[in-house]
Short mmCIF file of all heavy atoms in Angstrom, two decimals:
data_model
loop_
_atom_site.label_atom_id
_atom_site.label_comp_id
_atom_site.label_asym_id
_atom_site.label_seq_id
_atom_site.Cartn_x
_atom_site.Cartn_y
_atom_site.Cartn_z
N PRO A 1 65.60 127.09 -34.04
CA PRO A 1 66.99 126.72 -34.27
C PRO A 1 67.57 126.01 -33.04
O PRO A 1 67.27 126.39 -31.91
CB PRO A 1 67.69 128.07 -34.50
CG PRO A 1 66.59 129.01 -34.88
CD PRO A 1 65.38 128.55 -34.13
N PRO A 2 68.38 124.98 -33.23
CA PRO A 2 68.94 124.23 -32.09
C PRO A 2 69.73 125.11 -31.12
O PRO A 2 69.76 124.82 -29.92
CB PRO A 2 69.85 123.19 -32.76
CG PRO A 2 69.28 123.00 -34.12
CD PRO A 2 68.76 124.36 -34.52
N PHE A 3 70.37 126.19 -31.62
CA PHE A 3 71.19 127.00 -30.71
C PHE A 3 70.34 127.72 -29.67
O PHE A 3 70.84 128.14 -28.63
CB PHE A 3 72.07 127.99 -31.49
CG PHE A 3 71.34 128.92 -32.40
CD1 PHE A 3 70.63 130.02 -31.91
CD2 PHE A 3 71.35 128.72 -33.77
CE1 PHE A 3 69.97 130.88 -32.75
CE2 PHE A 3 70.67 129.57 -34.63
CZ PHE A 3 69.98 130.65 -34.12
N LEU A 4 69.04 127.85 -29.92
CA LEU A 4 68.17 128.45 -28.90
C LEU A 4 67.95 127.50 -27.73
O LEU A 4 67.53 127.92 -26.65
CB LEU A 4 66.82 128.82 -29.51
CG LEU A 4 66.82 129.96 -30.53
CD1 LEU A 4 65.41 130.23 -31.03
CD2 LEU A 4 67.41 131.24 -29.93
N LEU A 5 68.26 126.22 -27.93
CA LEU A 5 68.17 125.24 -26.85
C LEU A 5 69.54 124.86 -26.31
O LEU A 5 69.67 123.89 -25.57
CB LEU A 5 67.45 123.97 -27.34
CG LEU A 5 66.04 124.15 -27.91
CD1 LEU A 5 65.41 122.80 -28.19
CD2 LEU A 5 65.17 124.96 -26.96
N GLY A 6 70.56 125.64 -26.69
CA GLY A 6 71.90 125.40 -26.16
C GLY A 6 72.71 124.40 -26.94
O GLY A 6 73.72 123.89 -26.43
N VAL A 7 72.31 124.08 -28.17
CA VAL A 7 73.04 123.12 -29.00
C VAL A 7 73.61 123.84 -30.21
O VAL A 7 72.86 124.46 -30.98
CB VAL A 7 72.14 121.97 -29.46
CG1 VAL A 7 72.92 121.00 -30.34
CG2 VAL A 7 71.56 121.24 -28.26
N GLY A 8 74.92 123.76 -30.41
CA GLY A 8 75.54 124.42 -31.56
C GLY A 8 75.77 125.90 -31.32
O GLY A 8 75.60 126.41 -30.21
N THR A 9 76.18 126.58 -32.37
CA THR A 9 76.51 128.00 -32.29
C THR A 9 75.48 128.85 -33.04
O THR A 9 74.78 128.36 -33.93
CB THR A 9 77.90 128.26 -32.88
OG1 THR A 9 77.94 127.80 -34.24
CG2 THR A 9 78.97 127.53 -32.07
N TYR A 10 75.43 130.11 -32.66
CA TYR A 10 74.46 131.03 -33.26
C TYR A 10 74.76 131.24 -34.74
O TYR A 10 75.91 131.37 -35.16
CB TYR A 10 74.50 132.37 -32.54
CG TYR A 10 73.63 133.42 -33.17
CD1 TYR A 10 72.27 133.45 -32.96
CD2 TYR A 10 74.19 134.39 -34.01
CE1 TYR A 10 71.46 134.41 -33.55
CE2 TYR A 10 73.40 135.36 -34.60
CZ TYR A 10 72.04 135.36 -34.37
OH TYR A 10 71.25 136.31 -34.96
N ASN A 11 73.70 131.24 -35.53
CA ASN A 11 73.82 131.49 -36.96
C ASN A 11 72.79 132.53 -37.37
O ASN A 11 71.58 132.33 -37.19
CB ASN A 11 73.61 130.19 -37.75
CG ASN A 11 73.80 130.37 -39.24
OD1 ASN A 11 72.94 130.90 -39.93
ND2 ASN A 11 74.95 129.92 -39.75
N LYS A 12 73.26 133.64 -37.88
CA LYS A 12 72.38 134.77 -38.21
C LYS A 12 71.36 134.41 -39.27
O LYS A 12 70.16 134.71 -39.14
CB LYS A 12 73.23 135.95 -38.67
CG LYS A 12 72.43 137.16 -39.12
CD LYS A 12 73.36 138.27 -39.60
CE LYS A 12 72.59 139.43 -40.16
NZ LYS A 12 73.48 140.51 -40.64
N ASP A 13 71.79 133.75 -40.34
CA ASP A 13 70.87 133.39 -41.41
C ASP A 13 69.81 132.40 -40.92
O ASP A 13 68.64 132.49 -41.31
CB ASP A 13 71.64 132.78 -42.59
CG ASP A 13 72.54 133.79 -43.27
OD1 ASP A 13 72.24 135.00 -43.19
OD2 ASP A 13 73.55 133.38 -43.88
N GLU A 14 70.23 131.46 -40.08
CA GLU A 14 69.27 130.49 -39.54
C GLU A 14 68.24 131.19 -38.64
O GLU A 14 67.06 130.84 -38.64
CB GLU A 14 70.02 129.41 -38.75
CG GLU A 14 69.15 128.24 -38.33
CD GLU A 14 69.95 127.14 -37.68
OE1 GLU A 14 71.19 127.30 -37.52
OE2 GLU A 14 69.35 126.11 -37.30
N TYR A 15 68.71 132.18 -37.89
CA TYR A 15 67.80 132.93 -37.02
C TYR A 15 66.77 133.71 -37.85
O TYR A 15 65.57 133.67 -37.56
CB TYR A 15 68.59 133.89 -36.14
CG TYR A 15 67.73 134.82 -35.32
CD1 TYR A 15 67.20 134.43 -34.10
CD2 TYR A 15 67.42 136.10 -35.79
CE1 TYR A 15 66.39 135.27 -33.36
CE2 TYR A 15 66.62 136.95 -35.06
CZ TYR A 15 66.11 136.53 -33.84
OH TYR A 15 65.30 137.37 -33.11
N ASN A 16 67.23 134.42 -38.87
CA ASN A 16 66.30 135.19 -39.72
C ASN A 16 65.32 134.28 -40.45
O ASN A 16 64.16 134.64 -40.66
CB ASN A 16 67.08 136.05 -40.71
CG ASN A 16 67.76 137.24 -40.05
OD1 ASN A 16 67.32 137.71 -39.00
ND2 ASN A 16 68.84 137.71 -40.63
N ASN A 17 65.80 133.09 -40.85
CA ASN A 17 64.90 132.13 -41.48
C ASN A 17 63.86 131.63 -40.48
O ASN A 17 62.70 131.38 -40.85
CB ASN A 17 65.71 130.95 -42.02
CG ASN A 17 64.84 129.96 -42.77
OD1 ASN A 17 64.23 130.27 -43.79
ND2 ASN A 17 64.79 128.72 -42.27
N PHE A 18 64.25 131.51 -39.22
CA PHE A 18 63.31 131.14 -38.15
C PHE A 18 62.20 132.17 -38.03
O PHE A 18 61.03 131.83 -37.86
CB PHE A 18 64.11 131.01 -36.85
CG PHE A 18 63.29 130.97 -35.59
CD1 PHE A 18 62.32 130.01 -35.40
CD2 PHE A 18 63.52 131.89 -34.58
CE1 PHE A 18 61.57 129.97 -34.23
CE2 PHE A 18 62.78 131.87 -33.41
CZ PHE A 18 61.81 130.90 -33.24
N VAL A 19 62.55 133.45 -38.16
CA VAL A 19 61.54 134.52 -38.13
C VAL A 19 60.61 134.40 -39.33
O VAL A 19 59.38 134.49 -39.20
CB VAL A 19 62.21 135.91 -38.11
CG1 VAL A 19 61.16 137.01 -38.20
CG2 VAL A 19 63.04 136.07 -36.84
N ASN A 20 61.19 134.17 -40.51
CA ASN A 20 60.38 134.13 -41.74
C ASN A 20 59.45 132.93 -41.80
O ASN A 20 58.40 132.98 -42.46
CB ASN A 20 61.30 134.10 -42.96
CG ASN A 20 61.92 135.45 -43.24
OD1 ASN A 20 61.32 136.49 -42.98
ND2 ASN A 20 63.14 135.44 -43.77
N THR A 21 59.81 131.85 -41.14
CA THR A 21 59.02 130.62 -41.23
C THR A 21 58.18 130.40 -39.98
O THR A 21 56.98 130.63 -39.99
CB THR A 21 59.94 129.42 -41.50
OG1 THR A 21 60.97 129.36 -40.47
CG2 THR A 21 60.61 129.54 -42.85
N ARG A 22 58.80 129.97 -38.93
CA ARG A 22 58.04 129.57 -37.74
C ARG A 22 57.28 130.73 -37.10
O ARG A 22 56.08 130.63 -36.82
CB ARG A 22 58.99 128.95 -36.72
CG ARG A 22 58.29 128.38 -35.49
CD ARG A 22 57.32 127.32 -35.90
NE ARG A 22 56.77 126.60 -34.76
CZ ARG A 22 55.58 126.05 -34.76
NH1 ARG A 22 54.81 126.14 -35.83
NH2 ARG A 22 55.14 125.40 -33.71
N ILE A 23 57.96 131.84 -36.88
CA ILE A 23 57.33 132.97 -36.18
C ILE A 23 56.20 133.57 -37.02
O ILE A 23 55.07 133.77 -36.53
CB ILE A 23 58.37 134.06 -35.85
CG1 ILE A 23 59.43 133.49 -34.90
CG2 ILE A 23 57.69 135.27 -35.22
CD1 ILE A 23 58.89 132.98 -33.59
N LEU A 24 56.45 133.83 -38.29
CA LEU A 24 55.42 134.44 -39.13
C LEU A 24 54.29 133.47 -39.43
O LEU A 24 53.16 133.90 -39.68
CB LEU A 24 56.05 134.96 -40.43
CG LEU A 24 56.97 136.17 -40.27
CD1 LEU A 24 57.41 136.69 -41.64
CD2 LEU A 24 56.27 137.28 -39.49
N SER A 25 54.57 132.16 -39.40
CA SER A 25 53.51 131.18 -39.61
C SER A 25 52.48 131.24 -38.48
O SER A 25 51.27 131.26 -38.73
CB SER A 25 54.11 129.77 -39.70
OG SER A 25 53.09 128.80 -39.79
N ILE A 26 52.95 131.29 -37.24
CA ILE A 26 52.04 131.40 -36.10
C ILE A 26 51.34 132.75 -36.12
O ILE A 26 50.13 132.85 -35.85
CB ILE A 26 52.81 131.20 -34.79
CG1 ILE A 26 53.34 129.76 -34.71
CG2 ILE A 26 51.92 131.49 -33.58
CD1 ILE A 26 54.17 129.47 -33.48
N ALA A 27 52.09 133.81 -36.43
CA ALA A 27 51.49 135.15 -36.49
C ALA A 27 50.40 135.22 -37.55
O ALA A 27 49.35 135.84 -37.34
CB ALA A 27 52.57 136.18 -36.79
N GLN A 28 50.63 134.59 -38.68
CA GLN A 28 49.62 134.61 -39.75
C GLN A 28 48.35 133.89 -39.31
O GLN A 28 47.23 134.34 -39.61
CB GLN A 28 50.19 133.96 -41.01
CG GLN A 28 49.28 134.09 -42.22
CD GLN A 28 49.90 133.52 -43.48
OE1 GLN A 28 50.47 132.44 -43.47
NE2 GLN A 28 49.82 134.26 -44.59
N SER A 29 48.50 132.78 -38.60
CA SER A 29 47.33 132.06 -38.10
C SER A 29 46.52 132.94 -37.15
O SER A 29 45.28 132.95 -37.20
CB SER A 29 47.77 130.78 -37.39
OG SER A 29 46.68 130.11 -36.81
#
């Protein structure tokens, strides 16, 4: 999410979607 790089504001749903997609994708590999 862009807010992790200091752009925009924190969004809870976007953060949880980040876990479901990017994080779990690398973990699955």
Side-chain angles (χ1 to χ4, degrees):
F3 57 76
L4 292 181
L5 303 187
V7 179
T9 57
Y10 174 79
N11 183 283
K12 177 182 175 181
D13 293 335
E14 189 175 2
Y15 173 84
N16 287 335
N17 184 62
F18 166 57
V19 175
N20 285 328
T21 55
R22 185 59 172 152
I23 298 301
L24 291 186
S25 175
I26 294 177
Q28 187 176 45
S29 176

